[in-house]
Amino acid sequence: MYVKQLDHLNLTVANLEETIRFYNVVFGFEVVEEGAREEGPWAIIRSGDALLCIFESNRLPPARFRQDGQEQHVIYHFGFRLTDREGWLNKVEEHQLELLHGGEQVYPHSSSWYVLDPTGYTIELVLWKEDEISFADVA
């Protein structure tokens, strides 16, 4: 058995509606399912094959924290694959997105940009050269 691709990420967010709006206008995500539990509202949003499950919580911990003396793991960032450089750069300008790490990061086989969503999650936008995932040969 193997994993073919990431199915979804489940994110706890500070404001569900603000998060839905952000992912819609910047990345084209649409709500495909939503509801509420006793703990708060939730939604599943989709863009192509990419899914995000989002849950609003007023008890959102800071990005890094310690609880009961144990270090907790968090998502430092997640990545979306881009296919349209110009379209992405237009979104950056249109929504005045702050690019982290000084802007475009050029790697041997790809370029990346990093932005924050309204809750503070870092999103990496990856544009592969020739729109093909490839890595240097490992000796």
Side-chain angles (χ1 to χ4, degrees), residues 5 21 41 52 57 65 74 80 86 88 90 95 98 101-102 138:
Q5 68 187 52
R21 204 169 25 260
L52 291 176
S57 173
F65 67 101
V74 297
F80 292 139
E86 184 178 329
W88 165 242
N90 287 338
H95 298 288
E98 179 184 352
H101 312 299
V138 179

Side-chain angles (χ1 to χ4, degrees), residues 94-107:
E94 177 184 352
H95 298 288
Q96 299 180 332
L97 298 174
E98 179 184 352
L99 297 176
L100 306 177
H101 312 299
E104 180 178 4
Q105 302 296 301
V106 178
Y107 301 111

Side-chain angles (χ1 to χ4, degrees), residues 115-135:
V115 298
L116 296 176
D117 81 355
T119 299
Y121 288 108
T122 300
I123 307 163
E124 178 182 1
L125 292 302
V126 182
L127 182 69
W128 288 90
K129 292 179 182 171
E130 316 278 327
D131 192 27
E132 184 176 316
I133 297 173
S134 63
F135 296 93

Side-chain angles (χ1 to χ4, degrees), residues 18-34:
E18 180 182 35
T19 300
I20 290 171
R21 204 169 25 260
F22 173 83
Y23 282 94
N24 174 260
V25 300
V26 177
F27 303 114
F29 278 81
E30 298 286 339
V31 175
V32 293
E33 192 172 85
E34 58 187 329

